[in-house]
Amino acid sequence: MKLKFGTVEENVVTREEFPLEKAREVLKDEVIAVLGYGVQGPGQALNLKDNGFNVIVGQRKGSKTWDKAVSDGWVPGETLFELEEACEKGTILQFLLSDAGQIALWPTVKKHLTPGKALYFSHGFGVTYKEKTGIIPPADIDVILVAPKGSGTSLRRMFVEGRGLNSSFAIYQDGTGKAKDRVVALGIGVGSGYLFETDFYREVTSDLTGERGTLMGAIQGIFAAQYEVLRANGHTPSEAFNETVEELTQSLMPLVAENGMDWMYANCSTTAQRGALDWWKPFRDATKPVFEELYNSVKTGKEAQKSIDSNSKEDYRVKLEAELKELRDSEMWQAGAVVRQLRPENN
């Protein structure tokens, strides 16, 4: 159906117009091979299985993620296989390894993409930056995308709660004439609340911008800046954390999610309302040049190249853990650990 988002009309697919029963019928003869059991793999694989689809998992035997798959109920030799064997058995290959992992495994995956199969992504990176990744699918298959707007952990949690995470969907190549039905059925199958249409390029550029921006990078930067100002002016760690992070995540953002920013403002004190309305535009004006710089870095492929170069190194995980430790050991997030322990539900 077509819906207006503001003044722009977009294509969306809801569970009502494409119910789970229809998705099962579309995919009744398919073997869905989920390749990779790291970030998106567990949530998508388990949701598809619980929704009644024929799912197998491909993962490196002996890895921690293999052991996790076993603990989640996947059975070696029946529903859990080495990556190449899963590629051979699957008719739809859900390529859910990291971007660097996809580059490394691509020669193996490509040789098993026989005519009529489908190659499924949850990120447009590999195909959009094909000159950098070497991922160029054969012409006689479907190349499709379902990108849940959140982590695999959130996708699974919301599914178990009977809710759904919104997802985008895209068709890069319709080699069989069935790509639209396949991609929408898979989107419903993994537990999407609704699906909105995009293309691979727009998905990856918006996604890379969002991750580096308000979803992860910018929010941590803003948290740190305000926390440091409060601490420099004599506020205690617990007070600074509560006024910077805890009140936002526990009280205010749920209101935004429920009914919009204006509704959250309306449910705060008049003093808070006045301050927020006075200051949001200066913050927009101060940060917009940084976002423009970020988007340009994404658009020109610089961010993609950084990701490939960094994530392909053998010591990537070691360096990643050191960077995460820096965050974890900062006073702000050490204060946060204590604050979380004091939440009533944790006592």
mmCIF file of all heavy atoms in Angstrom, residues 180-198:
data_model
loop_
_atom_site.group_PDB
_atom_site.id
_atom_site.type_symbol
_atom_site.label_atom_id
_atom_site.label_comp_id
_atom_site.label_asym_id
_atom_site.label_seq_id
_atom_site.Cartn_x
_atom_site.Cartn_y
_atom_site.Cartn_z
ATOM 1 N N LYS A 180 10.039 -10.140 -5.551
ATOM 2 C CA LYS A 180 9.173 -9.315 -4.693
ATOM 3 C C LYS A 180 8.469 -10.178 -3.648
ATOM 4 O O LYS A 180 8.479 -9.853 -2.450
ATOM 5 C CB LYS A 180 8.156 -8.571 -5.545
ATOM 6 C CG LYS A 180 7.154 -7.720 -4.762
ATOM 7 C CD LYS A 180 7.812 -6.517 -4.110
ATOM 8 C CE LYS A 180 6.803 -5.639 -3.362
ATOM 9 N NZ LYS A 180 5.853 -4.942 -4.260
ATOM 10 N N ASP A 181 7.868 -11.273 -4.079
ATOM 11 C CA ASP A 181 7.194 -12.143 -3.118
ATOM 12 C C ASP A 181 8.184 -12.741 -2.129
ATOM 13 O O ASP A 181 7.898 -12.847 -0.932
ATOM 14 C CB ASP A 181 6.446 -13.264 -3.838
ATOM 15 C CG ASP A 181 5.096 -12.812 -4.379
ATOM 16 O OD1 ASP A 181 4.649 -11.696 -4.014
ATOM 17 O OD2 ASP A 181 4.488 -13.562 -5.157
ATOM 18 N N ARG A 182 9.349 -13.143 -2.619
ATOM 19 C CA ARG A 182 10.349 -13.725 -1.729
ATOM 20 C C ARG A 182 10.793 -12.741 -0.657
ATOM 21 O O ARG A 182 10.856 -13.071 0.524
ATOM 22 C CB ARG A 182 11.573 -14.186 -2.543
ATOM 23 C CG ARG A 182 11.483 -15.582 -3.128
ATOM 24 C CD ARG A 182 12.653 -15.844 -4.046
ATOM 25 N NE ARG A 182 13.062 -17.238 -4.078
ATOM 26 C CZ ARG A 182 14.025 -17.721 -4.853
ATOM 27 N NH1 ARG A 182 14.680 -16.919 -5.673
ATOM 28 N NH2 ARG A 182 14.341 -19.000 -4.810
ATOM 29 N N VAL A 183 11.117 -11.522 -1.064
ATOM 30 C CA VAL A 183 11.673 -10.576 -0.101
ATOM 31 C C VAL A 183 10.616 -10.139 0.918
ATOM 32 O O VAL A 183 10.917 -10.021 2.116
ATOM 33 C CB VAL A 183 12.318 -9.362 -0.806
ATOM 34 C CG1 VAL A 183 11.291 -8.431 -1.435
ATOM 35 C CG2 VAL A 183 13.206 -8.584 0.169
ATOM 36 N N VAL A 184 9.398 -9.932 0.479
ATOM 37 C CA VAL A 184 8.355 -9.530 1.422
ATOM 38 C C VAL A 184 8.035 -10.685 2.376
ATOM 39 O O VAL A 184 7.879 -10.466 3.589
ATOM 40 C CB VAL A 184 7.095 -9.061 0.665
ATOM 41 C CG1 VAL A 184 5.946 -8.814 1.649
ATOM 42 C CG2 VAL A 184 7.391 -7.789 -0.114
ATOM 43 N N ALA A 185 7.956 -11.899 1.855
ATOM 44 C CA ALA A 185 7.697 -13.055 2.721
ATOM 45 C C ALA A 185 8.787 -13.218 3.772
ATOM 46 O O ALA A 185 8.508 -13.507 4.944
ATOM 47 C CB ALA A 185 7.579 -14.327 1.874
ATOM 48 N N LEU A 186 10.032 -13.020 3.375
ATOM 49 C CA LEU A 186 11.137 -13.116 4.334
ATOM 50 C C LEU A 186 11.064 -11.988 5.362
ATOM 51 O O LEU A 186 11.334 -12.200 6.550
ATOM 52 C CB LEU A 186 12.473 -13.084 3.597
ATOM 53 C CG LEU A 186 12.810 -14.361 2.828
ATOM 54 C CD1 LEU A 186 13.888 -14.098 1.783
ATOM 55 C CD2 LEU A 186 13.262 -15.469 3.787
ATOM 56 N N GLY A 187 10.698 -10.789 4.907
ATOM 57 C CA GLY A 187 10.555 -9.679 5.836
ATOM 58 C C GLY A 187 9.495 -9.939 6.890
ATOM 59 O O GLY A 187 9.688 -9.642 8.078
ATOM 60 N N ILE A 188 8.380 -10.504 6.468
ATOM 61 C CA ILE A 188 7.329 -10.886 7.420
ATOM 62 C C ILE A 188 7.829 -12.027 8.310
ATOM 63 O O ILE A 188 7.623 -12.028 9.526
ATOM 64 C CB ILE A 188 6.047 -11.300 6.670
ATOM 65 C CG1 ILE A 188 5.481 -10.120 5.862
ATOM 66 C CG2 ILE A 188 5.013 -11.847 7.641
ATOM 67 C CD1 ILE A 188 5.070 -8.911 6.679
ATOM 68 N N GLY A 189 8.531 -12.960 7.712
ATOM 69 C CA GLY A 189 9.001 -14.140 8.446
ATOM 70 C C GLY A 189 9.984 -13.838 9.553
ATOM 71 O O GLY A 189 9.979 -14.492 10.600
ATOM 72 N N VAL A 190 10.850 -12.837 9.342
ATOM 73 C CA VAL A 190 11.843 -12.524 10.381
ATOM 74 C C VAL A 190 11.247 -11.695 11.513
ATOM 75 O O VAL A 190 11.937 -11.424 12.506
ATOM 76 C CB VAL A 190 13.082 -11.796 9.809
ATOM 77 C CG1 VAL A 190 13.771 -12.648 8.763
ATOM 78 C CG2 VAL A 190 12.737 -10.410 9.269
ATOM 79 N N GLY A 191 9.970 -11.291 11.369
ATOM 80 C CA GLY A 191 9.312 -10.604 12.475
ATOM 81 C C GLY A 191 9.177 -9.111 12.319
ATOM 82 O O GLY A 191 9.030 -8.395 13.318
ATOM 83 N N SER A 192 9.194 -8.605 11.090
ATOM 84 C CA SER A 192 9.067 -7.161 10.885
ATOM 85 C C SER A 192 7.672 -6.675 11.285
ATOM 86 O O SER A 192 6.671 -7.338 11.011
ATOM 87 C CB SER A 192 9.312 -6.807 9.413
ATOM 88 O OG SER A 192 10.591 -7.239 8.998
ATOM 89 N N GLY A 193 7.639 -5.484 11.894
ATOM 90 C CA GLY A 193 6.353 -4.877 12.205
ATOM 91 C C GLY A 193 5.665 -4.408 10.936
ATOM 92 O O GLY A 193 4.487 -4.663 10.708
ATOM 93 N N TYR A 194 6.403 -3.698 10.109
ATOM 94 C CA TYR A 194 5.985 -3.385 8.750
ATOM 95 C C TYR A 194 7.252 -3.219 7.923
ATOM 96 O O TYR A 194 8.358 -3.111 8.453
ATOM 97 C CB TYR A 194 5.088 -2.132 8.688
ATOM 98 C CG TYR A 194 5.806 -0.808 8.817
ATOM 99 C CD1 TYR A 194 6.305 -0.148 7.691
ATOM 100 C CD2 TYR A 194 5.986 -0.197 10.057
ATOM 101 C CE1 TYR A 194 6.962 1.071 7.793
ATOM 102 C CE2 TYR A 194 6.643 1.021 10.177
ATOM 103 C CZ TYR A 194 7.129 1.649 9.039
ATOM 104 O OH TYR A 194 7.787 2.848 9.150
ATOM 105 N N LEU A 195 7.089 -3.198 6.612
ATOM 106 C CA LEU A 195 8.219 -3.079 5.692
ATOM 107 C C LEU A 195 8.077 -1.818 4.866
ATOM 108 O O LEU A 195 6.987 -1.511 4.375
ATOM 109 C CB LEU A 195 8.262 -4.288 4.747
ATOM 110 C CG LEU A 195 8.487 -5.653 5.394
ATOM 111 C CD1 LEU A 195 7.998 -6.762 4.473
ATOM 112 C CD2 LEU A 195 9.948 -5.865 5.721
ATOM 113 N N PHE A 196 9.162 -1.064 4.707
ATOM 114 C CA PHE A 196 9.131 0.091 3.813
ATOM 115 C C PHE A 196 10.192 -0.079 2.736
ATOM 116 O O PHE A 196 11.256 -0.635 2.972
ATOM 117 C CB PHE A 196 9.302 1.413 4.569
ATOM 118 C CG PHE A 196 10.613 1.588 5.287
ATOM 119 C CD1 PHE A 196 11.677 2.238 4.678
ATOM 120 C CD2 PHE A 196 10.774 1.118 6.581
ATOM 121 C CE1 PHE A 196 12.881 2.414 5.340
ATOM 122 C CE2 PHE A 196 11.977 1.289 7.263
ATOM 123 C CZ PHE A 196 13.030 1.938 6.638
ATOM 124 N N GLU A 197 9.860 0.391 1.535
ATOM 125 C CA GLU A 197 10.697 0.125 0.357
ATOM 126 C C GLU A 197 11.872 1.097 0.270
ATOM 127 O O GLU A 197 11.746 2.287 0.546
ATOM 128 C CB GLU A 197 9.844 0.223 -0.907
ATOM 129 C CG GLU A 197 10.548 -0.291 -2.151
ATOM 130 C CD GLU A 197 9.621 -0.400 -3.351
ATOM 131 O OE1 GLU A 197 8.493 0.124 -3.283
ATOM 132 O OE2 GLU A 197 10.027 -1.013 -4.351
ATOM 133 N N THR A 198 13.023 0.563 -0.118
ATOM 134 C CA THR A 198 14.205 1.372 -0.351
ATOM 135 C C THR A 198 14.987 0.729 -1.496
ATOM 136 O O THR A 198 14.462 -0.101 -2.235
ATOM 137 C CB THR A 198 15.052 1.472 0.939
ATOM 138 O OG1 THR A 198 16.126 2.398 0.725
ATOM 139 C CG2 THR A 198 15.611 0.132 1.365
#
